[in-house]
Amino acid sequence: MNTNPRPGEVWIVDFGMVAKQRPVLVLAYPQQDDARALVVVLPLTGELRGMRGEVDIGKPKWLPKHSAVNIQGFASIDRHALTRKLGVLAPAQLNAVKDAICDLLDL
């Protein structure tokens, strides 16, 4: 990995033997003074349901198909699992993800 991922970027993650490689949205990347060196991510999916818990991001040029961010799929992963940056969500899309998180968690 050449650079530290930033919130709003979409990266490919290698989940190892359990799952395939898949794109994730980076929400938080560990800082030097964090208790754990974990990246907080949300998975992207191409199986859109149009229901609460997903944010439609359309079909960015760096994704193979129309996709959504799965708001219910929070995960914390080792930073070394991020293998390749695909692209960056538009500010309006990232704000929609943040709003959906607040709605889901009743914040």
Side-chain angles (χ1 to χ4, degrees), residues 17 19 23 29 41 43 46 51-52 54 62 68-72 83 100 103:
M17 297 186 320
Y29 190 79
V41 299
M51 301 177 78
R52 180 176 179 254
E54 68 182 29
W62 35 266
V69 179
N70 177 0
I71 302 302
Q72 295 175 314
T83 59
D103 179 57

Side-chain angles (χ1 to χ4, degrees), residues 21-81:
Q21 291 188 349
R22 66 178 305 147
V24 296
L25 172 65
V26 174
L27 294 177
Y29 190 79
Q31 303 299 311
Q32 194 170 22
D33 59 344
D34 285 349
R36 304 282 184 270
L38 297 172
V39 183
V40 179
V41 299
L42 290 171
L44 273 61
T45 180
E47 296 179 24
L48 283 73
R49 297 184 178 131
M51 301 177 78
R52 180 176 179 254
E54 68 182 29
V55 175
D56 188 333
I57 60 167
K59 199 241 167 266
K61 64 181 176 183
W62 35 266
L63 285 176
K65 62 183 176 177
H66 195 115
S67 299
V69 179
N70 177 0
I71 302 302
Q72 295 175 314
F74 276 95
S76 296
I77 61 171
D78 183 279
R79 67 181 187 260
H80 299 294

